[in-house]
Amino acid sequence: MFKNLREDIQAILERDPAARNALEVIINYPGFHAIIFHRIAHWFHKKRLFFIARFISQVSRFFTGIEIHPGAKIGRRFFIDHGMGVVIGETTEIGDDVTIYQGATLGGTGKETGKRHPTIGNNVVISAGAKILGPFKIGDNSKVGAGSVVLDEVPPNCTVVGIPGVIVVKDNRKVASLKKDIDLEHTTLPNPVGVELECLRRRVKELEKSIRTIKGESKSEII
C-alpha cells in the first residue's frame, strides 16, 4: 500500500505543474486523500466488512467531494485532478496511469446487477464533466473530452467527444509506454457537432442558390 501511495505522489508531481513538492501533495490534494481513503475502504470491502468500508468512503466524500465506492478496483499511479464531484461506481475497474478531472462520473445506467460500471484501460485521460455510463471498456491510451457522455465501448488509442460520445481520433498518435509520455492535452479536441453544423450551413447555402436559380429560370419563361 505504501509503495502505491509513493507512486501516486510521484504521478501527481509529474502530471500537475502546480504541484511543487511531495509535502504539498500530501497535505493539499483532495484527490490524493481520496485515494488513501479508498485503499483503506477497499481493504475492508475485500474482507466483506461492507458497512465499515462504505462508512470510510462516505467520510472521504465529506472531506474531499470525491465519491469512490469501496468495491471499485483502482490501479497504480491514479491521479484525480481537483476532483470535486467525481463519482466512481462499485464495479468500476481502473487501470494504471489513469487521470480523471473534476466532475467526471464512472457510473451505471440502471438497476441491473453484476458488472454495471465501466472498465478503464491504462493511460486513459477522462476530462472534466465527462460521463462514462455502462459496463463496457475504454481502451488503453484513449481520451474522453470534457462534457462528453460515453455509452459504448471505445477501442484503444482513441479520442471521444460529444453527446453521445463519438470517436473522432484513432491510432494517429504515439502510444504512451512510459509515465512521462501520458498525453494530458485534452483542450484541443475536435468538435464533431461544429463540423456537422458547418456541413448543414453549406448545404443550406447550396439549396438557397438552387432555389434562386430555379426562380430566375421561371421568371425568364414568364417574360
Side-chain angles (χ1 to χ4, degrees), residues 27 38 52 76-77 91 103 126 161 163 199 205 212 215:
I27 295 176
H38 173 71
I52 297 175
R76 299 162 63 185
R77 299 177 295 276
T91 60
I126 302 173
V161 298
I163 303 175
C199 290
K205 190 174 181 179
R212 285 196 298 269
K215 285 183 176 180

Side-chain angles (χ1 to χ4, degrees), residues 115-212:
K115 175 67 172 171
R116 61 189 186 278
H117 299 99
T119 296
I120 310 299
N122 301 321
N123 304 317
V124 173
V125 175
I126 302 173
S127 303
K131 313 299 178 186
I132 304 175
L133 307 175
F136 52 83
K137 183 174 182 178
I138 304 296
D140 295 350
N141 311 302
S142 290
K143 294 188 291 184
V144 179
S148 300
V149 178
V150 184
L151 303 174
D152 295 298
E153 184 163 335
V154 177
N157 311 310
C158 291
T159 297
V160 180
V161 298
I163 303 175
V166 176
I167 297 173
V168 292
V169 177
K170 182 178 181 181
D171 293 327
N172 71 338
R173 66 179 180 86
K174 180 181 178 182
V175 175
S177 58
L178 298 174
K179 292 182 289 184
K180 293 182 180 179
D181 293 330
I182 296 172
D183 184 2
L184 299 179
E185 183 54 62
H186 60 285
T187 59
T188 57
L189 302 178
N191 182 1
V193 177
V195 172
E196 288 296 325
L197 289 175
E198 178 61 21
C199 290
L200 288 173
R201 187 189 68 80
R202 292 178 182 177
R203 182 59 177 162
V204 169
K205 190 174 181 179
E206 291 174 357
L207 291 172
E208 289 176 342
K209 184 178 179 180
S210 298
I211 291 172
R212 285 196 298 269

Side-chain angles (χ1 to χ4, degrees), residues 36 87 98 164:
I36 294 176
V87 177
V98 172

